[in-house]
Amino acid sequence: LTVVTAAALLAGCASYESRIERSLTSAGVSRPVAGCMADQMVDRLSSAQLKRLARFAKGVDRREVERMSLREIQKRFQAIGDPEIVEVVTRAGLGCALMGA
């Protein structure tokens, strides 16, 4: 039973990870950076936080974001209302981009 539960949890994480990676690449993030970010986000955020982030991402239009200033993007992102999500996504994005993942 424990092995089945662990397998189900791992499958759920893999599913979240692949969905996050697809969303990030759809938003214009390179595949290596998106994969790196998704891996870190799944490791550091709870299922509830990942679901909240997914709901937020559904309301984001790539063309609109491209026209926004960095300040506007930051304000919108902080509107999620969970500082941990903002911190994890920001750190993952910067770290993975700097590493050239």
Side-chain angles (χ1 to χ4, degrees), residues 46-66:
S46 69
S47 296
Q49 288 173 312
L50 291 169
K51 288 176 185 174
R52 191 173 307 131
L53 185 57
R55 283 192 303 273
F56 169 78
K58 285 182 182 178
V60 175
D61 179 2
R62 179 181 176 180
R63 293 177 302 258
E64 182 183 354
V65 172
E66 289 173 348

Side-chain angles (χ1 to χ4, degrees), residues 39-89:
D39 183 51
Q40 290 184 31
M41 290 162 60
V42 167
D43 286 347
R44 295 186 175 118
L45 296 174
S46 69
S47 296
Q49 288 173 312
L50 291 169
K51 288 176 185 174
R52 191 173 307 131
L53 185 57
R55 283 192 303 273
F56 169 78
K58 285 182 182 178
V60 175
D61 179 2
R62 179 181 176 180
R63 293 177 302 258
E64 182 183 354
V65 172
E66 289 173 348
R67 292 187 300 267
M68 294 170 78
S69 70
L70 186 56
R71 179 79 139 166
E72 291 170 319
I73 293 169
Q74 179 185 22
K75 282 183 184 180
R76 187 172 219 189
F77 191 58
Q78 288 178 333
I80 292 173
D82 186 329
E84 187 176 14
I85 293 173
V86 175
E87 179 185 347
V88 168
V89 173

